Amino acid sequence: MVLDLTASSLDLTRAICDIASVSGDEKTLADEIEQALAPLDHLEVIRHGNTIVARTDLGRAQRVAIAGHIDTVPINDNLPTRLIDVDGEAYLWGRGTVDMKAGTAVQLKLAAELTDPVVDITWMWYDNEEVEASKNGLGLLAAVRPDLFVADFAILGEPSDGEVEGGCNGTMRAIVRTSGVRAHSARAWIGENAIHRAAPILARLGEYRAREVLVEGLLYRESLSAVRISGGVAGNVIPDACEVEINYRFAPSKSAADAEAHLRSVLAGFDLEVTDSAEGARPGLDAPIAQQFVAAVGAEPRPKYGWTDVARFSALGIPAVNYGPGDPHLAHHDEERVPVAQIDAVERGLRAWLSSH
């Protein structure tokens, strides 16, 4: 198939959602995007791996980077997409509709149609956002082509219910380990059970109360959760090792070093190894261009609780926000679905701002 960038944002969303692109398997969709953009004379198209960049070069006074990821979490019998009715409102249901192919579809349509925007635009569609930071297509591109990240403002099409979400929480993953001594389970007193020794870890996490932190007028909520536990040898063996994987979401006022120190204080006395982390991003809504954008789309700024790639732009000193269709609470959900009206509203908002501000 060839993507039709003249189709409606809804139809384009369906088309790119129905091209399965679970993290690590984005090549087919990346190929389709590149082929659809290549004939457009007003765009310079650049490919790095499965990340596609399309740029205008009109000599405008300001440049805006607009980005969206093309991968999804694993499918769970929720493709192909279908239109459904929920309480009288039309929704598009299926994997990726919220996170974040509706936002990506809007961007692709506007990239094709806005041949004379009032700012230069660097459009970016990238792979491997849903997995560890080391594989993130945007991060890999920044390492080899930092020149493509020069911008005055950035917009990520992450789901934000059609509102503007400023900045994002940071995220950190860690493994907490316990050890013991193997023995036959019929003589359990001979061994030391590593899984039982993990009980205090779970108790501390269960008792933990999430903090709410005010950052530049937006209230960010933190969380600390066990997300996986593993251990055991056989049905008749006392286990000698256990691992609890935890995920800490921390306010953008903290650095990763601050977050690690807090994590180690909460789990003091246990063997803890940080395996992955990404800094958060402050809201950046005090920048004049960000204020113009918020006013133009008529949105009420809110905090972004989940980590997004606004953090990559924030680290470069570029104010960045999240703006896309879809309820973030339905991201990764088996009943993932996006209101059709919200797709259209985000398209109108972006189109109006890029055409007239």
Side-chain angles (χ1 to χ4, degrees):
M1 66 171 289
V2 176
L3 290 179
D4 179 6
L5 300 186
T6 68
S8 69
S9 288
L10 170 61
D11 288 342
L12 195 51
T13 301
R14 293 198 73 169
I16 64 175
C17 283
D18 287 342
I19 301 173
S21 57
V22 174
S23 302
D25 191 26
E26 300 96 333
K27 184 180 184 301
T28 299
L29 180 53
D31 289 346
E32 292 288 338
I33 291 172
E34 182 182 25
Q35 291 167 19
L37 295 170
L40 302 177
D41 292 337
H42 66 286
L43 295 173
E44 176 192 11
V45 179
I46 301 159
R47 181 164 183 165
H48 181 260
N50 289 323
T51 293
I52 312 296
V53 177
R55 302 173 76 247
T56 65
D57 190 11
L58 302 170
R60 303 296 194 235
Q62 291 180 304
R63 178 173 290 277
V64 175
I66 302 179
H69 64 81
I70 63 173
D71 63 320
T72 71
V73 297
I75 298 164
N76 189 24
D77 295 325
N78 47 9
L79 281 184
T81 56
R82 64 175 186 264
L83 288 168
I84 64 171
D85 181 281
V86 179
D87 298 327
E89 184 173 4
Y91 284 78
L92 180 62
W93 174 96
R95 175 63 78 228
T97 53
V98 171
D99 195 8
M100 55 159 282
K101 289 183 176 179
T104 295
V106 167
Q107 294 170 2
L108 286 166
K109 182 174 178 61
L110 294 180
E113 294 182 358
L114 295 179
T115 60
D116 191 30
V118 296
V119 292
D120 270 312
I121 308 172
T122 302
W123 304 95
M124 298 175 160
W125 299 285
Y126 59 102
D127 61 333
N128 280 311
E129 189 273 347
E130 297 289 5
V131 291
E132 59 267 33
S134 63
K135 295 182 179 179
N136 183 290
L138 206 60
L140 295 176
L141 179 66
V144 297
R145 291 293 306 270
D147 56 300
L148 296 178
F149 289 76
V150 175
D152 300 284
F153 183 51
I155 301 167
L156 270 291
E158 291 282 357
S160 62
D161 249 346
E163 302 293 338
V164 173
E165 293 186 332
C168 68
N169 277 339
T171 182
M172 179 169 287
R173 293 185 180 91
I175 300 291
V176 188
R177 298 182 175 90
T178 59
S179 59
V181 177
R182 290 193 193 189
H184 196 297
S185 60
R187 301 171 183 82
W189 59 90
I190 303 298
E192 297 176 7
N193 194 311
I195 292 179
H196 293 179
R197 287 184 171 180
I201 298 171
L202 301 179
R204 290 189 200 182
L205 295 174
E207 293 165 0
Y208 185 83
R209 293 297 172 262
R211 299 180 178 185
E212 293 185 340
V213 183
L214 191 66
V215 183
E216 297 176 14
L218 298 183
L219 192 64
Y220 291 84
R221 181 165 182 167
E222 299 188 332
S223 63
L224 178 58
S225 308
V227 293
R228 183 182 62 86
I229 186 167
S230 62
V233 180
N236 60 353
V237 177
I238 299 300
D240 61 342
C242 182
E243 293 185 345
V244 180
E245 183 176 1
I246 59 175
N247 183 212
Y248 179 34
R249 302 289 176 140
F250 54 93
S253 54
K254 286 189 177 75
S255 67
D258 295 334
E260 181 175 349
H262 179 66
L263 205 54
R264 291 190 182 280
S265 70
V266 172
L267 294 165
F270 289 99
D271 175 16
L272 183 148
E273 177 191 1
V274 173
T275 57
D276 185 43
S277 68
E279 301 273 1
R282 301 183 77 91
L285 293 170
D286 52 348
I289 191 171
Q291 293 173 355
Q292 293 165 7
F293 170 72
V294 171
V297 300
E300 183 69 28
R302 305 185 303 196
K304 186 69 168 178
Y305 295 134
W307 187 89
T308 77
D309 280 296
V310 293
R312 298 188 187 279
F313 291 98
S314 179
L316 296 170
I318 302 168
V321 299
N322 304 279
Y323 178 63
D327 180 353
H329 293 96
L330 290 176
H332 304 183
H333 197 285
D334 285 346
E335 294 301 321
E336 188 173 354
R337 61 187 184 271
V338 62
V340 172
Q342 212 169 81
I343 300 174
D344 295 337
V346 169
E347 180 192 331
R348 287 195 302 272
L350 269 179
R351 184 188 297 276
W353 184 68
L354 292 169
S355 302
S356 63
H357 86 274

